[in-house]
């Protein structure tokens, strides 16, 4: 299928760019022995799971459904799960498909330990080292009063019989200098418990595939724990697996003016790239610059009735007109997993660009997808 024939809006995932990321991740495992899992919450395009499974050790999940997806679509690899709490109903399914279960509290551990005992499932406790360098609270698992993980104060050191690992996740889009400092803090507080564990999971938030990422220091951080305590080390990046590996292409529907020229697109920040509003951030657009950088500046906005459905202000070399295509970068992560049909806006199609350059339409959506959820 020719890319120009695909109806907008669509997400395009580029297999070569995914492979480039996977090779970097695999090089870290090869160098250190660390096991790397795909955190599906960032990227769940399961048509690529067979490929991802060739490079990574498995998947991790934040819910039963994610766990099922990883189990079904990346068979023969590890299936981990962590959630703030498990329901009895979900737990009875989780034990059939997960080989590692991380509990968020000792009360959850007490509730389920008899069910898991004797199954061979490895259990862990998520700890909260109360150290992070994230400034936005919504992404900071260590903010004051956080529900994520057990603090040292609440750590039940005499209730570890059956616990084989500890898990911490305290980072977001960060480089390995943050990890290196975090590792020292975790060791200061929890080292005496890590010593008796089989594994430690250092969570996600590692921007390993970013241009300026310091891989050497990542390896040093991994080796710190494996050398000192002989534990296996897991990492579970989400973003890093599909960072800069996808696009969202849309069309201009209309141009209007109210103090500024405004281009109304067939894609919505609220529906199709919710992190633009939630984070918030300004995605890069191909062949566009900051306002005023090129002669023609426009506000790019969505087709919903939400007044704030605005992606941002961008400048272009030529005036925009209806029908022009606008392509947003880095749209593989936290998009297809997070989009919604608010306002009855259809979901973008999902397109895969294969290694040989062929494009394949993986999925299209329609009215039934909207209706079936209501
Ligand atoms: C979100 C999350 C991840 C993945 O985080 P990224 O920032 O996408 O790398 C990994 N582990 C846990 C527990 C998470 O909540």
């Amino acid at each position: 299928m020719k890319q120009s024939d695909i109806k907008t809006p669509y997400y395009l995932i580029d297999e070569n760019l995914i492979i480039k990321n996977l090779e970097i991740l695999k090089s870290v495992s090869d160098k250190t022995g660390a096991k790397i899992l795909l955190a599906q919450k960032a990227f769940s395009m399961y048509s690529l799971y067979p490929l991802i499974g060739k490079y990574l050790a498995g998947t991790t999940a934040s819910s039963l459904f994610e766990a099922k997806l990883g189990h079904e679509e990346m068979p023969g690899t590890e299936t981990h799960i962590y959630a703030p709490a498990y329901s009895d109903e979900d737990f009875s399914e989780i034990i059939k498909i997960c080989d590692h279960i991380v509990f968020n509290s000792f009360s959850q551990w007490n509730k389920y330990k008899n069910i898991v005992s004797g199954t061979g499932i490895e259990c862990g406790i998520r700890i909260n080292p109360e150290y992070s360098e994230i400034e936005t609270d919504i992404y900071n698992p260590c903010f004051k009063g956080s529900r994520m993980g057990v603090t040292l104060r609440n750590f039940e050191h005499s209730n570890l019989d059956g616990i084989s690992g500890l898990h911490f996740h305290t980072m977001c889009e960060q480089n390995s200098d943050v990890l290196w400092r975090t590792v020292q803090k975790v060791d200061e507080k929890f080292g005496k418990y890590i010593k008796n564990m089989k594994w430690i999971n250092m969570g996600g938030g590692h921007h390993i595939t970013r241009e300026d990422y310091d891989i050497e220091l990542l390896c040093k951080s991994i080796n710190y724990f494996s050398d000192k305590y002989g534990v296996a080390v897991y990492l579970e990046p989400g973003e890093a697996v599909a960072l800069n590996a996808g696009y969202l292409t849309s069309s201009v529907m209309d141009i209007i003016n109210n103090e500024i020229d405004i281009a109304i697109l067939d894609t919505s920040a609220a529906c199709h790239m919710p992190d633009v509003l939630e984070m918030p951030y300004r995605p890069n657009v191909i062949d566009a610059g900051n306002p005023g950088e090129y002669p023609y500046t426009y506000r790019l906005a969505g087709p919903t009735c939400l007044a704030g459905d605005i992606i941002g202000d961008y400048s272009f070399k030529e005036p925009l007109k209806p029908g022009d295509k606008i392509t947003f970068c880095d749209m593989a992560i936290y998009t297809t997993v997070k989009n919604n049909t608010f306002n009855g806006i259809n979901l973008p199609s999902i397109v895969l660009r294969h290694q040989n350059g062929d494009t394949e339409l993986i999925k299209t959506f329609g009215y039934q997808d909207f209706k079936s959820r209501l």
Side-chain angles (χ1 to χ4, degrees):
M1 175 154 210
K2 278 209 343 242
Q3 199 181 323
S4 53
D5 294 341
I6 301 168
K7 214 167 121 289
T8 61
Y10 59 85
Y11 301 104
L12 181 140
I13 312 300
D14 187 311
E15 201 170 22
N16 281 314
L17 297 174
I18 295 277
I19 290 173
K20 190 173 145 206
N21 288 344
L22 291 170
E23 277 174 349
I24 295 171
L25 296 172
K26 184 161 186 305
S27 75
V28 172
S29 313
D30 289 345
K31 259 187 235 153
T32 60
K35 290 193 181 180
I36 303 186
L37 309 166
L38 164 70
Q40 297 174 90
K41 137 172 154 273
F43 184 71
S44 302
M45 190 169 160
Y46 59 88
S47 48
L48 288 175
Y49 282 14
L51 173 76
I52 296 171
K54 289 185 192 155
Y55 292 84
L56 304 187
T59 56
T60 188
S62 322
S63 60
L64 169 65
F65 290 175
E66 282 185 356
K68 281 178 112 157
L69 190 66
H71 176 73
E72 282 174 15
E73 301 295 335
M74 213 187 281
T77 67
E78 294 185 21
T79 307
H80 293 228
I81 189 168
Y82 156 80
Y86 301 109
S87 71
D88 292 349
E89 197 184 344
D90 284 0
F91 202 78
S92 60
E93 285 197 69
I94 286 167
I95 55 171
K96 291 185 199 139
I97 57 178
C98 292
D99 40 74
H100 290 69
I101 301 177
V102 175
F103 295 93
N104 189 54
S105 67
F106 280 93
S107 41
Q108 281 270 299
W109 167 235
N110 288 337
K111 181 169 183 206
Y112 292 115
K113 66 174 152 194
N114 290 333
I115 299 176
V116 283
S117 96
T119 57
I121 296 169
E122 304 222 353
C123 295
I125 292 281
R126 176 162 174 171
I127 53 173
N128 174 359
E130 298 174 89
Y131 178 84
S132 77
E133 300 182 21
I134 303 169
E135 265 143 38
T136 325
D137 275 354
I138 189 179
Y139 296 109
N140 183 2
C142 299
F143 71 77
K144 207 166 163 357
S146 168
R147 73 185 184 292
M148 318 309 274
V150 183
T151 57
L152 186 58
R153 207 166 157 233
N154 292 318
F155 195 79
E156 298 178 12
H157 52 85
S158 53
N159 190 7
L160 296 173
D161 198 20
I163 295 293
S164 56
L166 295 182
H167 175 292
F168 67 89
H169 171 79
T170 59
M171 289 170 52
C172 180
E173 301 190 333
Q174 284 162 317
N175 212 317
S176 48
D177 59 320
V178 178
L179 178 63
W180 179 248
R181 290 190 287 275
T182 304
V183 158
Q184 317 301 315
K185 297 285 177 188
V186 169
D187 190 26
E188 261 170 53
K189 291 193 161 180
F190 291 95
K192 54 183 175 293
Y193 308 119
I194 299 169
K195 203 168 61 193
N196 301 318
M197 295 293 150
K198 269 172 75 178
W199 50 270
I200 184 150
N201 185 323
M202 309 206 292
H206 315 282
H207 241 189
I208 303 170
T209 50
R210 195 172 78 196
E211 202 72 1
D212 67 341
Y213 190 87
D214 183 350
I215 303 252
E216 282 311 307
L217 192 54
L218 168 65
C219 294
K220 193 173 155 195
S221 306
I222 293 168
N223 291 337
Y224 179 88
F225 279 130
S226 46
D227 291 348
K228 188 161 179 187
Y229 299 118
V231 288
V233 177
Y234 284 97
L235 297 174
E236 43 182 41
E239 288 212 11
V241 175
L243 190 66
N244 289 315
Y247 306 90
L248 172 56
T249 296
S250 63
S251 299
V252 175
M253 299 169 78
D254 195 17
I255 309 277
I256 58 171
N257 180 284
N258 179 9
E259 314 272 327
I260 180 171
D261 287 326
I262 303 165
I264 298 175
L265 307 182
D266 62 3
T267 192
S268 155
C271 301
H272 305 154
M273 40 186 136
D275 278 353
V276 166
L277 301 181
E278 199 172 289
M279 192 119 182
Y281 79 102
R282 182 180 183 280
N284 287 330
V285 170
I286 290 180
D287 291 332
N290 287 324
E293 191 178 335
Y294 298 120
Y296 305 96
T297 293
Y298 295 85
R299 175 158 298 166
L300 301 182
T304 68
C305 292
L306 175 72
D309 192 355
I310 291 163
I311 301 146
D313 296 352
Y314 297 83
S315 66
F316 297 84
K317 288 174 193 146
E318 303 291 333
L320 292 182
K321 56 185 188 310
D324 283 352
K325 300 244 170 102
I326 302 283
T327 295
F328 297 92
C329 299
D330 197 18
M331 284 291 164
I333 46 174
Y334 292 105
T335 49
T336 50
V337 288
K338 247 186 133 168
N339 59 15
N340 62 76
T341 57
F342 167 64
N343 212 138
I345 301 297
N346 197 12
L347 298 170
S349 306
I350 299 176
V351 177
L352 179 61
R353 186 191 281 144
H354 286 282
Q355 263 183 289
N356 63 7
D358 288 352
T359 50
E360 180 189 354
L361 192 55
I362 301 286
K363 187 126 176 71
T364 56
F365 300 89
Y367 172 60
Q368 279 308 326
D369 295 293
F370 166 64
K371 189 179 179 190
S372 68
R373 300 177 54 201
L374 300 169

